[in-house]
C-alpha cells in the first residue's frame, strides 16, 4: 500500500515534468495501431461485428495489460518502485490535456479564429470549420473538463483498486472507446468498448463530481455548481462526461455549447475570461483526488501493520 502511494505521487510528477512524448513507439500509440488493425467494420460480416468487437476488446486489453501485470506481480520491489511510476504515467495524461487546450487558446490569440478552429479540430471530433471564437474555446474547454475523468481520475482510481493492471486495462478500454465508440459504421463493432467505458467511468465520474462540488463550495460557488449539475448534466449524451462539465460550468459561471447538440451552464462570463478558472478547477480536482487516494492507501497500510 505504501509503495502504491509512492507510485501515484511519482507518476503525476513524471507527467508534469515529461508530458506525453510524441513517438510512434509510445505504448498508447502502439495500442492505437493495434486497435486500428482489427477495428475495421468491413473486415467482418455485419452479423458478427458485435462478437468481433467483444473478442477484439478482450484480446486488446489483455495484451496491453500483460507487461503491466508482469511488473506488478513479478518485479522485485526496488525494480517496481523505479518502473511503476513510468508505467502508470503511460495510462494518464494530465499535462497533455492542459497543453492541448492551451494550444487552442494560443492559436486564437496569435492566428485568429481560423487558426483556433484548425487547432480545436485536432482535439475534438466535431466539425470546427464554422465555429466562432466562443464556440472554439467551448470545444477546447469541454474536452478538458470531460477528459478530467477519462485521462486522469479513472486511471488513478483503478490503479488504487487493482494496481498497474487495473490502470492499463482501463486505458485500453478508454482508447478503444475513443476510436470505435461512434454511431456510424463502427456502431456494432464499438458497442462493447463503448459500454465498457461507460461502466468503467461510472464511479470515477461521480467521485470527481464530489471533489469538484467540495472545491466550489470552498470558493463560495457550491449552489450554482449544484444547480447546473442537476439541470444540465444529462444534456450531454452519455451519463458520465456531463458531470464534471456541468459542475465546472456552474462553479466557474460559464456556458459550454456544442451547437445543435447541447448547452451546459449559464454565461456569467466568457470562456476567454474564465479560462484560468477552468484550468484551476481541473488542477484542484486532480490534486485533491490524489491526496485522498494517497491518504487512503497509507491508512490501509497502517491498518494491515497494526
Amino acid at each position: 500500500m505504501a509503495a502504491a502511494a509512492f507510485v501515484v505521487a511519482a507518476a503525476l510528477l513524471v507527467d508534469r515534468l515529461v508530458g506525453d512524448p510524441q513517438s510512434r513507439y509510445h505504448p498508447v500509440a502502439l495500442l492505437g495501431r493495434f486497435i486500428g488493425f482489427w477495428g475495421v467494420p468491413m473486415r467482418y460480416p455485419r452479423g458478427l461485428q458485435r462478437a468481433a468487437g467483444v473478442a477484439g476488446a478482450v484480446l486488446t486489453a489483455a495484451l496491453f495489460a500483460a507487461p503491466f501485470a508482469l511488473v506488478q506481480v513479478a518485479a522485485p520491489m526496488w525494480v517496481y518502485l523505479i518502473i511503476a511510476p513510468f508505467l502508470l504515467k503511460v495510462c494518464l495524461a494530465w499535462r497533455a490535456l492542459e497543453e492541448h487546450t492551451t494550444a487552442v487558446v494560443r492559436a486564437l490569440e496569435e492566428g485568429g479564429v481560423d487558426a483556433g478552429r484548425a487547432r480545436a479540430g485536432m482535439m475534438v471530433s466535431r466539425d470546427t470549420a464554422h465555429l466562432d471564437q466562443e464556440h472554439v474555446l467551448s470545444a477546447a474547454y469541454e474536452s478538458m473538463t470531460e477528459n478530467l475523468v477519462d485521462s486522469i481520475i479513472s486511471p488513478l482510481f483503478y490503479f488504487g483498486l487493482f494496481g498497474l493492471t487495473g490502470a492499463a486495462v482501463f486505458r485500453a478500454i478508454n482508447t478503444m472507446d475513443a476510436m470505435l465508440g461512434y454511431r456510424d459504421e463502427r456502431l456494432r463493432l464499438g458497442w462493447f468498448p463503448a459500454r465498457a467505458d461507460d461502466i468503467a467511468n461510472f464511479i470515477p465520474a461521480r467521485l470527481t463530481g464530489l471533489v469538484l462540488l467540495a472545491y466550489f463550495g470552498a470558493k463560495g460557488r457550491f449552489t450554482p455548481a449544484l444547480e447546473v449539475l442537476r439541470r444540465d448534466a444529462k444534456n450531454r449524451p452519455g451519463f458520465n462526461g456531463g458531470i464534471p462539465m456541468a459542475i465546472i460550468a456552474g462553479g466557474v459561471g460559464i456556458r459550454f455549447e456544442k451547437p445543435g447538440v447541447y448547452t451546459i451552464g449559464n454565461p456569467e462570463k466568457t470562456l476567454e475570461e474564465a479560462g484560468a478558472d477552468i484550468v484551476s478547477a481541473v488542477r484542484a480536482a486532480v490534486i485533491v483526488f490524489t491526496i485522498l487516494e494517497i491518504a487512503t492507501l497509507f491508512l490501509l497500510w497502517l491498518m494491515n501493520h497494526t
Side-chain angles (χ1 to χ4, degrees):
M1 298 295 181
F6 167 80
V7 170
V8 168
L12 288 177
L13 178 61
V14 170
D15 179 86
R16 298 308 297 182
L17 293 175
V18 178
D20 267 336
Q22 298 299 310
S23 169
R24 64 193 306 268
Y25 300 108
H26 189 288
V28 177
L30 295 174
L31 171 65
R33 288 207 292 277
F34 183 67
I35 297 168
F37 168 73
W38 67 262
V40 180
M42 69 265 308
R43 290 184 185 273
Y44 316 98
R46 181 178 174 84
L48 294 178
Q49 286 180 3
R50 286 184 185 269
V54 173
V58 172
L59 176 62
T60 299
L63 289 176
F64 184 71
F68 294 79
L70 182 63
V71 171
Q72 178 177 331
V73 172
M77 181 56 68
W78 68 271
V79 174
Y80 175 84
L81 290 174
I82 294 172
I83 297 177
F86 293 92
L87 291 178
L88 179 56
K89 187 271 161 292
V90 164
C91 299
L92 56 87
W94 180 13
R95 175 174 162 177
L97 197 61
E98 291 187 6
E99 288 177 340
H100 289 314
T101 305
T102 300
V104 175
V105 175
R106 186 178 299 115
L108 282 169
E109 292 173 347
E110 297 177 356
V113 69
D114 287 335
R117 290 168 179 163
R119 191 71 196 191
M122 299 168 63
M123 193 178 181
V124 298
S125 59
R126 74 190 65 174
D127 181 8
T128 61
H130 304 291
L131 298 181
D132 59 24
Q133 176 171 309
E134 189 72 358
H135 286 101
V136 168
L137 288 172
S138 184
Y141 287 119
E142 285 171 51
S143 181
M144 170 182 273
T145 54
E146 174 193 356
N147 284 297
L148 165 62
V149 176
D150 301 65
S151 296
I152 310 167
I153 302 299
S154 285
L156 293 175
F157 175 77
Y158 286 105
F159 174 79
L161 288 180
F162 306 113
L164 290 173
T165 307
V169 169
F170 173 79
R171 176 48 53 218
I173 290 171
N174 186 246
T175 305
M176 285 185 280
D177 175 59
M179 296 181 66
L180 303 176
Y182 294 91
R183 295 183 177 278
D184 52 22
E185 69 277 1
R186 294 165 290 186
L187 177 63
R188 290 174 175 269
L189 194 63
W191 173 84
F192 180 75
R195 298 293 77 74
D197 184 74
D198 287 341
I199 293 169
N201 279 309
F202 186 88
I203 294 175
R206 283 146 185 83
L207 291 176
T208 304
L210 290 174
V211 171
L212 285 168
L213 285 172
Y215 168 75
F216 285 114
K219 294 179 72 66
R221 294 282 301 179
F222 178 84
T223 298
L226 183 61
E227 286 178 350
V228 175
L229 170 66
R230 288 173 170 171
R231 189 191 70 198
D232 294 345
K234 294 182 180 180
N235 291 355
R236 182 194 175 280
F239 48 80
N240 295 319
I243 294 173
M245 290 172 64
I247 295 173
I248 291 175
V252 173
I254 44 87
R255 180 174 64 192
F256 293 133
E257 183 176 14
K258 184 176 182 179
V261 182
Y262 60 77
T263 300
I264 296 174
N266 304 309
E268 300 174 34
K269 59 180 79 170
T270 68
L271 286 164
E272 183 177 10
E273 295 169 333
D277 293 334
I278 297 170
V279 174
S280 294
V282 170
R283 288 180 177 175
V286 175
I287 292 169
V288 171
F289 183 87
T290 301
I291 291 171
L292 291 174
E293 180 167 357
I294 290 173
T296 301
L297 291 169
F298 268 118
L299 180 61
L300 291 172
W301 179 80
L302 289 173
M303 291 173 62
N304 288 333
H305 289 77
T306 55

